[in-house]
Each structure stands twice: as C-alpha cells, then as structure tokens.
Amino acid sequence: MESTTEIRMMNVVLVGYRAAGKSTIGENLALKLGFNFYDVDRYIEPHIYPKTLTEFYSKVGEKGFRPLETKIVIKLCNRPQSVIAFGAGSLMRNRNQQAAKKNGFVIYVKVPAKELWNRIQSDPNSGHTRPNLAGGGLEEVQIFLRNREPDYLSCSNLIVDGMKPTAEIVQQIKQFYRSNLRT
C-alpha cells in the first residue's frame, strides 16, 4: 500500500505598522512563491471606494472603516496561495486575527518607531494613503506602535527585522514557509 502525503499550502500574512515595508516585501515574496499578492488597504480603494483610503477613512471614521476592513480581511485570507499585507490596524480585531491564523503564517515586520516615522515623512504619497489617526508625527507612531505591538507579537509565527534589505527578508520568510508547511 502506497502512502501519499499532501502538503497543505498556507497563506502568508504580513503585519506591522505603516511604512514597515509589508507591501514591498509581500510583492517580492509572492513572486518567489508563485502566489497572488493582496494589500488590504489597496484592495479597498478600487473595489470598495474609488478614491483614496485617506478620503474614505475621513468620511466614515474608525467605526465605519473597521467592519468593512474585516470583510476584506476574511475574503482575502480565504483565498488560496496568497501573500496578504494587512493594514497597520487590521490585526487589532479578533476576527481578523482568527482569519489570519486560520490558513496562514503570520509574519511581523518589525521596524523601530523613529525609522517608521522617517519612512512616512519621505513618502510623498503618505498623506493620500495613510490617514493621521492621532494628529500625526513621531508621537502618533510611538503611541500606536506601543498599543498594536502586543497583538503583532502574540499572533506572529515569525518576526523579521524590517531594517534588513528586502531580498534578505523575503529569503528568510521563504525559508520559514517551506520548512513549516503542514502535511
């Protein structure tokens, strides 16, 4: 009698604060794995609200945005063989945590607050794609990172240093992924 082993393909969910590099890492990783890439925030723009995420968020606020975001998260996490970049606050809802972990490895892209702030400032599109939540500035980054990091850490299967070159991070995640596939 011959034994067959079927490898269950898992998704990869990238979490971390805004400007951590989740989208860049995700696009590159998806290419290396032969997976589809989805960015939760960018998915909302053409599919749900035709303008920018910042405009949408300012129109509906936190209470209007988060339930919609959860629908998108669940939809994307149910797609097979995908790399999904969560928004900075996506992991703060329990349903989103469950969706991320159900069929995926959760990877926290960790970057210090000062570097995140430097990246946000140097991105000319930041004002259009990332709404200020508490007045902006380094202090906002520090406050939100301090509040969100416990969830990033507790949900993660792997923590990567977001200060390293993208290619190195992608290789680290790819190695982790391949060595941890479920059979």
Side-chain angles (χ1 to χ4, degrees), residues 23-38 81-83 170 174 178:
S23 296
T24 302
I25 293 164
E27 288 173 349
N28 285 278
L29 181 63
L31 283 172
K32 293 280 185 188
L33 294 174
F35 283 12
N36 292 310
F37 172 70
Y38 302 101
Q81 297 183 343
S82 298
V83 176
V170 167
K174 185 177 152 190
R178 293 216 166 121

Side-chain angles (χ1 to χ4, degrees), residues 19-174:
K22 300 179 301 278
S23 296
T24 302
I25 293 164
E27 288 173 349
N28 285 278
L29 181 63
L31 283 172
K32 293 280 185 188
L33 294 174
F35 283 12
N36 292 310
F37 172 70
Y38 302 101
D39 180 311
V40 170
D41 288 345
R42 300 296 74 81
Y43 190 89
I44 290 170
E45 288 172 348
H47 294 96
I48 307 301
Y49 190 75
K51 297 183 181 178
T52 68
L53 183 66
T54 301
E55 288 175 282
F56 179 66
Y57 192 90
S58 67
K59 183 177 180 179
V60 301
E62 180 91 8
K63 290 185 183 203
F65 176 76
R66 293 299 175 193
L68 173 67
E69 179 186 54
T70 295
K71 288 179 184 177
I72 300 298
V73 162
I74 291 168
K75 178 179 182 171
L76 295 178
C77 286
N78 281 324
R79 292 185 175 180
Q81 297 183 343
S82 298
V83 176
I84 306 153
F86 272 29
S90 299
L91 204 61
M92 303 306 99
R93 297 187 89 186
N94 190 41
R95 289 183 65 200
N96 295 351
Q97 292 175 17
Q98 292 169 358
K101 295 190 290 186
K102 179 181 173 188
N103 185 39
F105 294 118
V106 180
I107 313 298
Y108 172 28
V109 182
K110 186 175 177 141
V111 177
K114 178 72 172 146
E115 176 61 21
L116 292 167
W117 175 238
N118 289 339
R119 291 178 185 185
I120 291 167
Q121 282 185 301
S122 67
D123 180 359
N125 294 317
S126 190
H128 301 295
T129 61
R130 297 180 173 112
N132 285 338
L133 304 174
L138 176 58
E139 187 176 357
E140 175 183 286
V141 175
Q142 292 168 331
I143 290 167
F144 278 85
L145 187 58
R146 186 171 41 251
N147 291 336
R148 292 172 176 176
E149 192 167 50
D151 286 318
Y152 296 157
L153 292 168
S154 70
C155 289
S156 296
N157 300 103
L158 176 69
I159 299 166
V160 296
D161 181 354
M163 299 291 285
K164 291 185 177 180
T166 300
E168 193 175 319
I169 296 169
V170 167
Q171 184 61 29
Q172 180 184 1
I173 297 170
K174 185 177 152 190

